Amino acid sequence: MPQSRRSFLRNGAHLAALAAIGPLATGSETRANSSPASTSANPSAPNSSPANSSAPPNTTSGIQIGPDCFVDEGTDKVLDILQEKGAVNTLYLSTFTYDRGIIGRTPGKDFPGHGVDATDKNYFHGGNYATPHAKFYTNTAIKGERLKAPDLGNFDILAEVLPKAKRRGMKTICSIQDGFSYPADMPFVAEMHEIDLQGRKSGALCFFNPDVREFWTSVARDLCSSYDIDGVLLFNERNGPLLNAIGVSHAQAIDSARVTCFCPHHERAAKAHGIDFQRAKEGYAQLDRFVQKALNDQRPSDGYYVEFERLLLRYPEIMAYNQLFDTGKHQILKDIYTSVKSIRKDLEVGFHIEHTNSFNPLYRATRDYAQLAELADFLKVVVYNNCGGERYVNFIRNISQTVFRDVPPGELMQLNNRLLNYANEAPIETLAAAGLSPDYVFRETQRAKAGVGGKCRILPGIDVNIPTGAKSRKASPDDTYQATLSAFKGGADGVILSRKYSEMRLDNLAAAGRAIRESARVQR
């Protein structure tokens, strides 16, 4: 039997050795049935393929997984499960993160029936789950060697997993996540946080702070130089100030006064790009007044949308300053790509493309796939369809409180579906319970493939039991099977099973594996 986390952490000698080296849906919910995938197969049926069969050599069948899983269940056991059930050939190890999105067991959520049936709220902290090396952080005030994650003692995820994965022919990619909020005890970052419109520190780090910019490349260089990994995947889901101000995300409270960043580093960057910083700040203050009036149902005489457009015409600095944020974000991507490739050209560099890009045309306009393809070997495009219904509804309800307050949410969603080329989705009243369809996965995969024009690979992120609200859809094995198959039918170069193994049910994992194997046979 694998050790529990408690017994594992008590065993100091073992740690030192390692350092050296919701219920399932019943099917009654209504869904769009226009998927390009077949629904005839039974995902719970025994797999007719050999246990270790997987995708073709040039196809990625990946999974996101954190270090806690290997501690809780045992490394060899977990790797057996991933290969036999999920046909996994690539591990996306959650190596640096302070966010539960790609690691741990989220408090208040159902447990999947494997690992530890207990929340991690009493010990989760985050940080670097590998071993940081001081020499890579000499040019930044954020000393990476002091960011070792304390959750699992001296456990080093790469020292433990990498050699065992290599013996099985599995690739290992390190996931690095820039988060929204860092703990107070994270050293050296007190003066590196973004500053909001009211002069308050936010939880995120400013892209234009040279120490922050150097820090992310240091983390990537450390991992790629110190371990024989196959590459890195960078997560950064932060939006620009305009989009945050008007409520573009499915997961945010609308508070336009907290838009960022207005720190001295951003002010210098604005000047370098010919943007009047004070005018930008004044424009966002006016935008905040507009948003607050909208939230209090104080309609402008010409309507909400016209007043919004008038603000953009009066203050073109609003849009310019939003683009400046994206410039800083993309510069981090370029820095990491250049740094990693200077170490070894065959190392892979990929970027996570957040879910907001999938159902928000305003945000989508800021994410040009052709441009991103110049900076990456692969893009992990989020196409989480089951939780996507709930998230899409939340986005529509957010944006219909501000810029589009004059449009009923149901009508706004119909228009948005037209703009996004989504033809077969449930109406807003039932979408959270229905989820987005496999056809959505198919279309988003096709769009990404067309956008990159063959310059990089597209690896859609597949929703495998991502938690949702009590009345929202819970993914069945057939949901997972259909979504995975639809990604391949849309031309995917592989898939990344997401968000994290620690919340996946094994029958859903097996359903994804069956779709991967069936797609492999078609490709052969």
Side-chain angles (χ1 to χ4, degrees), residues 155-193:
F155 179 76
D156 182 326
I157 185 174
L158 293 176
E160 165 65 6
V161 176
L162 185 58
K164 296 180 179 180
K166 282 189 175 296
R167 286 197 292 271
R168 294 165 177 261
M170 304 174 80
K171 285 187 174 183
T172 299
I173 306 291
C174 289
S175 293
I176 303 170
Q177 185 173 30
D178 177 18
F180 302 96
S181 184
Y182 290 94
D185 62 351
M186 183 179 175
F188 310 110
V189 299
E191 303 305 318
M192 299 176 192
H193 289 290

Side-chain angles (χ1 to χ4, degrees), residues 37-84:
S38 168
T39 60
S40 60
N42 176 8
S44 61
N47 196 324
S48 59
S49 302
N52 62 350
S53 68
S54 186
N58 294 327
T59 299
T60 297
S61 51
I63 192 168
Q64 293 179 184
I65 184 169
D68 50 315
C69 301
F70 300 104
V71 173
D72 288 342
E73 300 182 53
T75 302
D76 285 311
K77 178 181 177 181
V78 169
L79 295 179
D80 283 343
I81 290 171
L82 298 185
Q83 287 192 303
E84 293 169 8

Side-chain angles (χ1 to χ4, degrees), residues 148-458:
K148 172 66 178 173
D151 315 21
L152 307 176
N154 291 324
F155 179 76
D156 182 326
I157 185 174
L158 293 176
E160 165 65 6
V161 176
L162 185 58
K164 296 180 179 180
K166 282 189 175 296
R167 286 197 292 271
R168 294 165 177 261
M170 304 174 80
K171 285 187 174 183
T172 299
I173 306 291
C174 289
S175 293
I176 303 170
Q177 185 173 30
D178 177 18
F180 302 96
S181 184
Y182 290 94
D185 62 351
M186 183 179 175
F188 310 110
V189 299
E191 303 305 318
M192 299 176 192
H193 289 290
E194 292 185 323
I195 303 299
D196 72 15
L197 194 57
Q198 302 297 334
R200 299 166 295 193
K201 290 183 179 180
S202 80
L205 305 181
C206 176
F207 293 139
F208 287 104
N209 186 309
D211 279 306
V212 173
R213 183 172 166 181
E214 174 65 23
F215 172 69
W216 290 119
T217 58
S218 298
V219 173
R221 285 196 301 268
D222 186 0
L223 293 172
C224 292
S225 301
S226 304
Y227 301 91
D228 188 19
I229 61 175
D230 296 286
V232 296
L233 168 60
L234 181 69
F235 288 71
N236 183 307
E237 294 194 321
R238 291 154 58 191
N239 302 323
L242 171 61
L243 303 179
N244 279 335
I246 61 177
V248 302
S249 174
H250 57 277
Q252 71 180 48
I254 302 173
D255 184 358
S256 57
R258 289 192 176 274
V259 299
T260 55
C261 173
F262 297 95
C263 75
H265 298 289
H266 251 81
E267 183 174 5
R268 285 191 288 272
K271 183 178 180 180
H273 286 80
I275 301 171
D276 187 322
F277 178 78
Q278 293 304 324
R279 282 276 301 173
K281 197 170 184 179
E282 181 182 333
Y284 276 97
Q286 293 293 333
L287 182 60
D288 177 45
R289 294 188 184 97
F290 163 80
V291 169
Q292 296 310 314
K293 287 182 178 180
L295 295 177
N296 286 283
D297 205 20
Q298 298 175 24
R299 186 179 186 275
S301 59
D302 286 326
Y304 292 102
Y305 182 76
V306 170
E307 187 67 16
F308 172 68
E309 283 282 2
R310 187 169 288 150
L311 267 175
L312 296 185
L313 292 172
R314 188 177 300 149
Y315 292 97
E317 294 84 3
I318 291 175
M319 183 64 75
Y321 206 71
N322 188 72
Q323 290 176 301
L324 181 66
F325 180 92
D326 288 328
T327 297
K329 182 172 179 174
H330 288 173
Q331 185 62 57
I332 299 290
L333 307 185
K334 184 177 180 181
D335 288 346
I336 289 179
Y337 182 83
T338 302
S339 295
V340 170
K341 292 297 183 180
S342 69
I343 296 167
R344 217 174 70 221
K345 290 189 180 299
D346 64 330
L347 286 167
E348 298 179 24
V349 180
F351 305 119
H352 169 94
I353 307 300
E354 50 269 62
H355 211 178
T356 305
N357 174 70
S358 180
F359 42 69
N360 182 345
L362 299 175
Y363 187 85
R364 182 179 289 186
T366 71
R367 296 295 177 269
D368 185 342
Y369 278 137
Q371 182 184 43
L372 289 168
E374 300 287 348
L375 304 174
D377 297 301
F378 69 90
L379 298 177
K380 181 218 163 183
V381 178
V382 170
V383 291
Y384 303 159
N385 61 315
N386 287 289
C387 72
E390 176 183 88
R391 292 181 176 188
Y392 190 6
V393 170
N394 288 343
F395 158 67
I396 290 293
R397 297 204 186 282
N398 269 356
I399 200 71
S400 65
Q401 292 183 66
T402 57
V403 175
F404 297 105
R405 194 175 180 87
D406 286 319
V407 184
E411 293 180 21
L412 183 59
M413 178 170 278
Q414 289 179 7
L415 171 63
N416 207 55
N417 285 342
R418 294 278 189 179
L419 298 176
L420 299 173
N421 192 31
Y422 297 160
N424 302 292
E425 305 307 327
I428 194 168
E429 296 81 8
T430 60
L431 183 57
L436 290 167
S437 69
D439 182 60
Y440 152 83
V441 176
F442 175 77
R443 289 173 185 243
E444 279 296 274
T445 303
Q446 278 196 323
R447 180 175 75 86
K449 286 288 292 184
V452 300
K455 293 180 180 178
C456 77
R457 291 177 292 132
I458 295 298

